Amino acid sequence: MRRVFLMGLTALPLLAGCAMTTPAAAPAAVVFFTEDSAELDPSAQGVVGDVARQAAAQPEAPVTVLGFADPDGGRAYNRALSAARAENVAEALRQAGVAPARIRTTPRGPVPFEMMPLESRRVEIRIGQVAP
């Protein structure tokens, strides 16, 4: 089962390993993936649509898509998996109307296991913020 969540600005800083100090640094949305998968669940389209509307309200702001993975499977494998996750979300944003020139993808690879595995298998979408 795949899960997609839109997290509030106060929930994400509670996740260990995130480099966030204030709610202003929180992502616009977070999409979660199943283990060893970069495939977006159809329910992710609602999240992508919400982010596309937010991006439309800020037409000059960059849209940063950060991909993450858990540490199982090795660093190189998870770097590639996090890149595929970020690119799949970026493609969904492009299809939802976000200009390709505004979107930057950044694979972050594996994150420490102090996080729950589901929380590690994610893509963060940020509007108007460069990657931390």
Side-chain angles (χ1 to χ4, degrees):
M1 169 171 39
R2 292 188 181 87
R3 297 183 184 145
V4 179
F5 299 99
L6 181 61
M7 298 182 77
L9 294 178
T10 57
L12 196 60
L14 299 176
L15 301 176
C18 293
M20 290 182 262
T21 57
T22 65
V30 178
V31 177
F32 291 98
F33 294 82
T34 58
E35 185 176 10
D36 295 327
S37 176
E39 184 180 332
L40 263 78
D41 186 276
S43 63
Q45 293 307 315
V47 173
V48 169
D50 289 344
V51 172
R53 283 186 288 283
Q54 291 176 46
Q58 303 174 57
E60 300 301 317
V63 178
T64 304
V65 182
L66 304 169
F68 296 87
D70 65 43
D72 287 344
R75 186 160 190 75
Y77 171 79
N78 283 307
R79 183 108 173 134
L81 180 59
S82 68
R85 287 173 174 165
E87 186 52 44
N88 287 346
V89 170
E91 179 58 28
L93 287 167
R94 288 188 284 271
Q95 290 179 7
V98 179
R102 294 179 61 193
I103 302 171
R104 300 286 181 261
T105 60
T106 304
R108 288 298 175 93
V111 295
F113 239 154
E114 61 241 4
M115 298 179 77
M116 299 289 292
L118 174 64
E119 295 163 342
S120 301
R121 302 172 192 139
R122 72 185 190 280
V123 164
E124 296 180 3
I125 308 167
R126 298 169 181 266
I127 300 173
Q129 302 170 18
V130 294

mmCIF file of all heavy atoms in Angstrom, residues 77-108:
data_model
loop_
_atom_site.group_PDB
_atom_site.id
_atom_site.type_symbol
_atom_site.label_atom_id
_atom_site.label_comp_id
_atom_site.label_asym_id
_atom_site.label_seq_id
_atom_site.Cartn_x
_atom_site.Cartn_y
_atom_site.Cartn_z
ATOM 1 N N TYR A 77 22.792 2.936 -4.445
ATOM 2 C CA TYR A 77 21.440 2.516 -4.813
ATOM 3 C C TYR A 77 20.417 3.543 -4.346
ATOM 4 O O TYR A 77 19.533 3.952 -5.106
ATOM 5 C CB TYR A 77 21.126 1.148 -4.204
ATOM 6 C CG TYR A 77 19.682 0.763 -4.362
ATOM 7 C CD1 TYR A 77 19.211 0.256 -5.570
ATOM 8 C CD2 TYR A 77 18.778 0.928 -3.313
ATOM 9 C CE1 TYR A 77 17.876 -0.085 -5.731
ATOM 10 C CE2 TYR A 77 17.440 0.595 -3.469
ATOM 11 C CZ TYR A 77 16.997 0.088 -4.678
ATOM 12 O OH TYR A 77 15.668 -0.236 -4.827
ATOM 13 N N ASN A 78 20.543 3.975 -3.104
ATOM 14 C CA ASN A 78 19.570 4.910 -2.546
ATOM 15 C C ASN A 78 19.714 6.311 -3.121
ATOM 16 O O ASN A 78 18.728 7.051 -3.209
ATOM 17 C CB ASN A 78 19.658 4.913 -1.027
ATOM 18 C CG ASN A 78 18.993 3.694 -0.457
ATOM 19 O OD1 ASN A 78 17.840 3.412 -0.776
ATOM 20 N ND2 ASN A 78 19.711 2.936 0.338
ATOM 21 N N ARG A 79 20.894 6.684 -3.535
ATOM 22 C CA ARG A 79 21.058 7.979 -4.211
ATOM 23 C C ARG A 79 20.288 7.959 -5.535
ATOM 24 O O ARG A 79 19.581 8.911 -5.864
ATOM 25 C CB ARG A 79 22.544 8.249 -4.457
ATOM 26 C CG ARG A 79 22.797 9.575 -5.080
ATOM 27 C CD ARG A 79 23.406 10.496 -4.065
ATOM 28 N NE ARG A 79 23.810 11.726 -4.729
ATOM 29 C CZ ARG A 79 23.549 12.903 -4.231
ATOM 30 N NH1 ARG A 79 22.943 13.013 -3.095
ATOM 31 N NH2 ARG A 79 23.927 13.986 -4.859
ATOM 32 N N ALA A 80 20.407 6.857 -6.274
ATOM 33 C CA ALA A 80 19.672 6.724 -7.536
ATOM 34 C C ALA A 80 18.164 6.663 -7.292
ATOM 35 O O ALA A 80 17.381 7.270 -8.033
ATOM 36 C CB ALA A 80 20.142 5.484 -8.289
ATOM 37 N N LEU A 81 17.750 5.942 -6.251
ATOM 38 C CA LEU A 81 16.325 5.840 -5.925
ATOM 39 C C LEU A 81 15.766 7.205 -5.529
ATOM 40 O O LEU A 81 14.688 7.602 -5.976
ATOM 41 C CB LEU A 81 16.109 4.824 -4.801
ATOM 42 C CG LEU A 81 14.669 4.599 -4.353
ATOM 43 C CD1 LEU A 81 13.797 4.110 -5.506
ATOM 44 C CD2 LEU A 81 14.652 3.593 -3.197
ATOM 45 N N SER A 82 16.503 7.958 -4.719
ATOM 46 C CA SER A 82 16.020 9.282 -4.312
ATOM 47 C C SER A 82 15.957 10.226 -5.519
ATOM 48 O O SER A 82 15.056 11.057 -5.614
ATOM 49 C CB SER A 82 16.874 9.861 -3.187
ATOM 50 O OG SER A 82 18.176 10.182 -3.624
ATOM 51 N N ALA A 83 16.883 10.081 -6.469
ATOM 52 C CA ALA A 83 16.842 10.889 -7.692
ATOM 53 C C ALA A 83 15.615 10.539 -8.528
ATOM 54 O O ALA A 83 14.937 11.433 -9.052
ATOM 55 C CB ALA A 83 18.118 10.679 -8.507
ATOM 56 N N ALA A 84 15.312 9.245 -8.648
ATOM 57 C CA ALA A 84 14.131 8.822 -9.416
ATOM 58 C C ALA A 84 12.849 9.314 -8.758
ATOM 59 O O ALA A 84 11.919 9.746 -9.450
ATOM 60 C CB ALA A 84 14.118 7.298 -9.547
ATOM 61 N N ARG A 85 12.785 9.259 -7.443
ATOM 62 C CA ARG A 85 11.601 9.759 -6.734
ATOM 63 C C ARG A 85 11.416 11.253 -7.001
ATOM 64 O O ARG A 85 10.312 11.716 -7.306
ATOM 65 C CB ARG A 85 11.735 9.497 -5.237
ATOM 66 C CG ARG A 85 11.562 8.045 -4.868
ATOM 67 C CD ARG A 85 11.856 7.776 -3.415
ATOM 68 N NE ARG A 85 11.526 6.387 -3.090
ATOM 69 C CZ ARG A 85 11.915 5.768 -2.002
ATOM 70 N NH1 ARG A 85 12.647 6.410 -1.100
ATOM 71 N NH2 ARG A 85 11.577 4.509 -1.799
ATOM 72 N N ALA A 86 12.496 12.018 -6.872
ATOM 73 C CA ALA A 86 12.412 13.466 -7.097
ATOM 74 C C ALA A 86 12.007 13.765 -8.537
ATOM 75 O O ALA A 86 11.166 14.631 -8.787
ATOM 76 C CB ALA A 86 13.751 14.126 -6.758
ATOM 77 N N GLU A 87 12.575 13.039 -9.490
ATOM 78 C CA GLU A 87 12.257 13.297 -10.899
ATOM 79 C C GLU A 87 10.807 12.941 -11.211
ATOM 80 O O GLU A 87 10.150 13.647 -11.981
ATOM 81 C CB GLU A 87 13.205 12.528 -11.813
ATOM 82 C CG GLU A 87 13.014 12.867 -13.275
ATOM 83 C CD GLU A 87 13.039 14.360 -13.592
ATOM 84 O OE1 GLU A 87 13.902 15.094 -13.080
ATOM 85 O OE2 GLU A 87 12.162 14.805 -14.368
ATOM 86 N N ASN A 88 10.291 11.876 -10.632
ATOM 87 C CA ASN A 88 8.892 11.503 -10.871
ATOM 88 C C ASN A 88 7.927 12.554 -10.319
ATOM 89 O O ASN A 88 6.919 12.875 -10.949
ATOM 90 C CB ASN A 88 8.585 10.125 -10.309
ATOM 91 C CG ASN A 88 9.200 9.023 -11.138
ATOM 92 O OD1 ASN A 88 9.638 9.243 -12.268
ATOM 93 N ND2 ASN A 88 9.261 7.827 -10.588
ATOM 94 N N VAL A 89 8.239 13.103 -9.157
ATOM 95 C CA VAL A 89 7.399 14.168 -8.599
ATOM 96 C C VAL A 89 7.532 15.430 -9.458
ATOM 97 O O VAL A 89 6.537 16.099 -9.746
ATOM 98 C CB VAL A 89 7.759 14.439 -7.124
ATOM 99 C CG1 VAL A 89 7.077 15.702 -6.612
ATOM 100 C CG2 VAL A 89 7.371 13.241 -6.258
ATOM 101 N N ALA A 90 8.755 15.744 -9.891
ATOM 102 C CA ALA A 90 8.955 16.910 -10.748
ATOM 103 C C ALA A 90 8.171 16.772 -12.053
ATOM 104 O O ALA A 90 7.552 17.736 -12.517
ATOM 105 C CB ALA A 90 10.447 17.102 -11.040
ATOM 106 N N GLU A 91 8.165 15.584 -12.637
ATOM 107 C CA GLU A 91 7.409 15.364 -13.871
ATOM 108 C C GLU A 91 5.913 15.557 -13.626
ATOM 109 O O GLU A 91 5.211 16.153 -14.450
ATOM 110 C CB GLU A 91 7.675 13.965 -14.429
ATOM 111 C CG GLU A 91 6.907 13.656 -15.697
ATOM 112 C CD GLU A 91 7.181 14.627 -16.845
ATOM 113 O OE1 GLU A 91 8.279 15.203 -16.919
ATOM 114 O OE2 GLU A 91 6.263 14.808 -17.686
ATOM 115 N N ALA A 92 5.423 15.085 -12.496
ATOM 116 C CA ALA A 92 4.010 15.282 -12.160
ATOM 117 C C ALA A 92 3.697 16.772 -12.001
ATOM 118 O O ALA A 92 2.637 17.240 -12.424
ATOM 119 C CB ALA A 92 3.645 14.519 -10.892
ATOM 120 N N LEU A 93 4.634 17.533 -11.422
ATOM 121 C CA LEU A 93 4.440 18.981 -11.294
ATOM 122 C C LEU A 93 4.415 19.648 -12.663
ATOM 123 O O LEU A 93 3.598 20.537 -12.916
ATOM 124 C CB LEU A 93 5.540 19.592 -10.421
ATOM 125 C CG LEU A 93 5.445 19.307 -8.931
ATOM 126 C CD1 LEU A 93 6.744 19.691 -8.228
ATOM 127 C CD2 LEU A 93 4.259 20.043 -8.320
ATOM 128 N N ARG A 94 5.297 19.217 -13.562
ATOM 129 C CA ARG A 94 5.298 19.768 -14.918
ATOM 130 C C ARG A 94 3.966 19.479 -15.607
ATOM 131 O O ARG A 94 3.383 20.348 -16.258
ATOM 132 C CB ARG A 94 6.467 19.199 -15.730
ATOM 133 C CG ARG A 94 7.821 19.754 -15.307
ATOM 134 C CD ARG A 94 8.940 19.332 -16.240
ATOM 135 N NE ARG A 94 9.365 17.967 -16.051
ATOM 136 C CZ ARG A 94 10.311 17.559 -15.210
ATOM 137 N NH1 ARG A 94 10.942 18.439 -14.445
ATOM 138 N NH2 ARG A 94 10.637 16.293 -15.118
ATOM 139 N N GLN A 95 3.473 18.266 -15.457
ATOM 140 C CA GLN A 95 2.195 17.898 -16.063
ATOM 141 C C GLN A 95 1.037 18.679 -15.448
ATOM 142 O O GLN A 95 0.017 18.890 -16.103
ATOM 143 C CB GLN A 95 1.958 16.404 -15.942
ATOM 144 C CG GLN A 95 2.873 15.590 -16.818
ATOM 145 C CD GLN A 95 2.665 14.098 -16.676
ATOM 146 O OE1 GLN A 95 1.739 13.640 -16.008
ATOM 147 N NE2 GLN A 95 3.531 13.323 -17.307
ATOM 148 N N ALA A 96 1.206 19.130 -14.198
ATOM 149 C CA ALA A 96 0.168 19.924 -13.525
ATOM 150 C C ALA A 96 0.283 21.405 -13.858
ATOM 151 O O ALA A 96 -0.481 22.213 -13.334
ATOM 152 C CB ALA A 96 0.239 19.709 -12.014
ATOM 153 N N GLY A 97 1.253 21.774 -14.714
ATOM 154 C CA GLY A 97 1.333 23.149 -15.167
ATOM 155 C C GLY A 97 2.461 23.995 -14.614
ATOM 156 O O GLY A 97 2.559 25.179 -14.934
ATOM 157 N N VAL A 98 3.334 23.436 -13.785
ATOM 158 C CA VAL A 98 4.468 24.201 -13.275
ATOM 159 C C VAL A 98 5.530 24.240 -14.380
ATOM 160 O O VAL A 98 5.889 23.204 -14.948
ATOM 161 C CB VAL A 98 5.049 23.571 -11.989
ATOM 162 C CG1 VAL A 98 6.249 24.368 -11.500
ATOM 163 C CG2 VAL A 98 3.980 23.498 -10.902
ATOM 164 N N ALA A 99 6.009 25.433 -14.685
ATOM 165 C CA ALA A 99 6.995 25.598 -15.751
ATOM 166 C C ALA A 99 8.263 24.804 -15.449
ATOM 167 O O ALA A 99 8.809 24.902 -14.343
ATOM 168 C CB ALA A 99 7.348 27.070 -15.921
ATOM 169 N N PRO A 100 8.732 24.018 -16.408
ATOM 170 C CA PRO A 100 9.925 23.194 -16.182
ATOM 171 C C PRO A 100 11.147 23.992 -15.722
ATOM 172 O O PRO A 100 11.931 23.499 -14.912
ATOM 173 C CB PRO A 100 10.175 22.552 -17.550
ATOM 174 C CG PRO A 100 8.846 22.531 -18.202
ATOM 175 C CD PRO A 100 8.148 23.776 -17.726
ATOM 176 N N ALA A 101 11.301 25.214 -16.206
ATOM 177 C CA ALA A 101 12.461 26.025 -15.829
ATOM 178 C C ALA A 101 12.469 26.394 -14.346
ATOM 179 O O ALA A 101 13.524 26.721 -13.799
ATOM 180 C CB ALA A 101 12.507 27.294 -16.674
ATOM 181 N N ARG A 102 11.320 26.324 -13.695
ATOM 182 C CA ARG A 102 11.231 26.668 -12.268
ATOM 183 C C ARG A 102 11.608 25.509 -11.362
ATOM 184 O O ARG A 102 11.879 25.710 -10.181
ATOM 185 C CB ARG A 102 9.800 27.085 -11.912
ATOM 186 C CG ARG A 102 9.362 28.360 -12.578
ATOM 187 C CD ARG A 102 7.950 28.696 -12.209
ATOM 188 N NE ARG A 102 7.813 28.887 -10.767
ATOM 189 C CZ ARG A 102 6.641 28.951 -10.142
ATOM 190 N NH1 ARG A 102 5.523 28.833 -10.816
ATOM 191 N NH2 ARG A 102 6.582 29.125 -8.846
ATOM 192 N N ILE A 103 11.585 24.295 -11.878
ATOM 193 C CA ILE A 103 11.733 23.098 -11.047
ATOM 194 C C ILE A 103 13.182 22.636 -11.008
ATOM 195 O O ILE A 103 13.822 22.471 -12.041
ATOM 196 C CB ILE A 103 10.832 21.959 -11.563
ATOM 197 C CG1 ILE A 103 9.374 22.394 -11.588
ATOM 198 C CG2 ILE A 103 11.023 20.706 -10.717
ATOM 199 C CD1 ILE A 103 8.447 21.410 -12.273
ATOM 200 N N ARG A 104 13.685 22.418 -9.809
ATOM 201 C CA ARG A 104 15.021 21.862 -9.583
ATOM 202 C C ARG A 104 14.874 20.609 -8.734
ATOM 203 O O ARG A 104 14.238 20.651 -7.678
ATOM 204 C CB ARG A 104 15.926 22.849 -8.845
ATOM 205 C CG ARG A 104 16.156 24.151 -9.555
ATOM 206 C CD ARG A 104 17.107 23.955 -10.742
ATOM 207 N NE ARG A 104 17.367 25.208 -11.418
ATOM 208 C CZ ARG A 104 16.762 25.604 -12.536
ATOM 209 N NH1 ARG A 104 15.845 24.863 -13.078
ATOM 210 N NH2 ARG A 104 17.068 26.745 -13.096
ATOM 211 N N THR A 105 15.454 19.516 -9.193
ATOM 212 C CA THR A 105 15.427 18.282 -8.403
ATOM 213 C C THR A 105 16.786 18.084 -7.750
ATOM 214 O O THR A 105 17.825 18.388 -8.348
ATOM 215 C CB THR A 105 15.082 17.053 -9.263
ATOM 216 O OG1 THR A 105 16.056 16.909 -10.284
ATOM 217 C CG2 THR A 105 13.696 17.180 -9.871
ATOM 218 N N THR A 106 16.753 17.583 -6.521
ATOM 219 C CA THR A 106 17.978 17.306 -5.776
ATOM 220 C C THR A 106 17.836 15.971 -5.066
ATOM 221 O O THR A 106 17.012 15.836 -4.159
ATOM 222 C CB THR A 106 18.251 18.399 -4.725
ATOM 223 O OG1 THR A 106 18.302 19.662 -5.380
ATOM 224 C CG2 THR A 106 19.544 18.151 -3.988
ATOM 225 N N PRO A 107 18.624 14.957 -5.475
ATOM 226 C CA PRO A 107 18.603 13.700 -4.740
ATOM 227 C C PRO A 107 19.442 13.837 -3.477
ATOM 228 O O PRO A 107 20.569 14.315 -3.531
ATOM 229 C CB PRO A 107 19.234 12.703 -5.714
ATOM 230 C CG PRO A 107 20.113 13.528 -6.585
ATOM 231 C CD PRO A 107 19.480 14.896 -6.657
ATOM 232 N N ARG A 108 18.874 13.461 -2.360
ATOM 233 C CA ARG A 108 19.599 13.522 -1.100
ATOM 234 C C ARG A 108 20.103 12.150 -0.662
ATOM 235 O O ARG A 108 20.892 12.049 0.243
ATOM 236 C CB ARG A 108 18.713 14.123 -0.009
ATOM 237 C CG ARG A 108 18.488 15.601 -0.198
ATOM 238 C CD ARG A 108 19.840 16.305 -0.105
ATOM 239 N NE ARG A 108 19.772 17.700 -0.390
ATOM 240 C CZ ARG A 108 19.614 18.647 0.509
ATOM 241 N NH1 ARG A 108 19.454 18.357 1.759
ATOM 242 N NH2 ARG A 108 19.605 19.896 0.133
#
